[in-house]
Amino acid sequence: MGYLTKYGSFWGMIPQTSGRVFWVAPAASYTVEGRSYAASDDNDGLSPERAFRTIDYAVGQTTASVGDVIVLLPGSHTVTATVTLDIAGITITGIPGSQALHTERMGGGPTRCRSQITTSQAAGNIFTLTSAGDDVEIAWIHFNLITEGDGIVIPLGADRPFIHDCTFACVGTASATSECIHFSSSTTGSVTNAVIRNCYFLASGNQGPAIRALGTVLGLKIENSTFELQGTAAWDDAIEILDPGSLGILIRDCDFVFPTSATTVMTNCIDVTGVTVNGATKVYRCYFDGDATVPVNASATPDRLFAGSYIAQTTAGTTTLGA
């Protein structure tokens, strides 16, 4: 079959690894290379034609820190309960889409992910990491969020998560508790060296932030990502970081796009008012739409560094560029 070849089909784009590759189908009956197969958790999951039926079962078959990969076959995957990612060093990926794999800056629109996921539980989250799930990688998946549900929840202690080339649609009934990526709060601990790269976040109104950090994040990197508002209501925050002990936050090469009217704006594109250490947040080479928006809201000027960024403001046919 084509998946055995290194080049010439999309199987060759699955991450190279010395671990095992498990496959998960979006439905009980699915098609690979024109042939129909039956998905089941009684399969071994080790090739596309013997795919597992559920993501949660696939996670339970992986081994920590040996490079195991879970591939979601193209289609719409639905989980009935939050999938707990409690195995260190695993990768969960969809099939890479139509965007170039390596670019200096992502395109203005979303990557076309062939594998998408949602949940059937009310107010439910899709993925939740645990403190045992360090070094988890999530890639090439489109997340359809539901009202009052999160896409990926990262508790304190789940270090070095790597989320890239994913798209998130938060377009249901406006809810401040619908967040694409949520770093949980706690009185102790932190999440260190999380990386969010080449992602696209879409909101239709005043949902919760695309990325919210309630607890301490150390060395958080948000890079090459687009945050877009489509709708008729303002979106309070695209990125919100609230813990005063957070340090080393780098947000660079990101675009913040919205219709730019009196009501449809991002009130704060980046809100770091909770971070109180001077220079803790660095915003480099970002682009911000709009006349009625705050690009970076901080409790005091020295708390964030803002360089090489542009604020688009149109008045009488002219455009003013910010610092």
Side-chain angles (χ1 to χ4, degrees):
M1 294 180 65
Y3 73 92
L4 292 173
T5 63
K6 186 174 181 181
Y7 302 103
S9 71
F10 61 30
W11 309 123
M13 301 168 73
I14 300 305
Q16 295 180 346
T17 179
S18 59
R20 294 173 296 173
V21 178
F22 295 103
W23 303 79
V24 180
S29 178
Y30 65 102
T31 300
V32 173
E33 295 185 346
R35 300 182 182 92
S36 295
Y37 298 97
S40 172
D41 288 343
D42 290 330
N43 292 340
D44 64 16
L46 292 174
S47 71
E49 76 272 52
R50 301 192 303 275
F52 290 140
R53 179 63 191 92
T54 63
I55 301 170
D56 186 67
Y57 184 82
V59 172
Q61 304 312 299
T62 60
T63 301
S65 305
V66 297
D68 283 354
V69 175
I70 297 171
V71 182
L72 307 188
L73 285 164
S76 299
H77 296 252
T78 300
V79 299
T80 58
T82 300
V83 177
T84 301
L85 306 181
D86 55 357
I87 308 295
I90 63 172
T91 295
I92 299 182
T93 179
I95 300 298
S98 58
Q99 181 169 291
L101 294 181
H102 301 287
T103 59
E104 292 184 2
R105 188 182 181 95
M106 74 172 295
T111 297
R112 304 300 178 185
C113 295
R114 296 186 176 101
S115 306
Q116 57 181 298
I117 188 170
T118 190
T119 178
S120 62
Q121 59 179 330
N125 305 324
I126 296 175
F127 289 156
T128 295
L129 281 66
T130 74
S131 57
D134 291 343
D135 300 297
V136 167
E137 178 180 359
I138 301 171
W140 296 106
I141 300 172
H142 175 72
F143 290 81
N144 283 310
L145 276 65
I146 62 172
T147 301
E148 298 183 2
D150 296 333
I152 302 171
V153 176
I154 305 173
L156 302 189
D159 292 329
R160 299 174 300 279
F162 182 24
I163 302 166
H164 65 92
D165 294 290
C166 290
T167 58
F168 299 81
C170 193
V171 296
T173 304
S175 169
T177 56
S178 294
E179 301 158 11
C180 303
I181 301 174
H182 174 93
F183 293 87
S184 302
S185 63
S186 177
T187 56
T188 60
S190 64
V191 174
T192 62
N193 297 321
V195 175
I196 301 167
R197 179 181 297 153
N198 281 13
C199 290
Y200 174 85
F201 303 90
L202 173 65
S204 61
N206 194 23
Q207 277 86 8
I211 301 171
R212 171 180 276 168
L214 296 179
T216 303
V217 289
L218 304 175
L220 171 63
K221 308 294 187 298
I222 303 171
E223 304 174 326
N224 289 21
S225 295
T226 297
F227 301 81
E228 183 167 359
L229 169 63
Q230 294 179 1
T232 59
W235 189 15
D236 282 347
D237 305 302
I239 299 173
E240 183 181 53
I241 300 172
L242 296 177
D243 187 84
S246 296
L247 295 168
I249 302 155
L250 177 60
I251 303 169
R252 63 182 174 190
D253 298 312
C254 293
D255 298 335
F256 298 82
V257 183
F258 48 94
T260 315
S261 71
T263 57
T264 52
V265 298
M266 293 181 190
T267 307
N268 300 298
C269 296
I270 302 170
D271 186 344
V272 291
T273 52
V275 182
T276 57
V277 179
N278 290 351
T281 304
K282 300 173 177 62
V283 180
Y284 296 157
R285 302 188 303 272
C286 292
Y287 291 83
F288 303 90
D289 273 2
D291 296 300
T293 185
V294 176
V296 184
N297 188 8
S299 57
T301 300
D303 294 344
R304 84 305 187 256
L305 302 177
F306 189 55
S309 298
Y310 294 87
I311 307 167
Q313 295 176 310
T314 302
T315 305
T318 62
T319 301
T320 301
L321 301 183

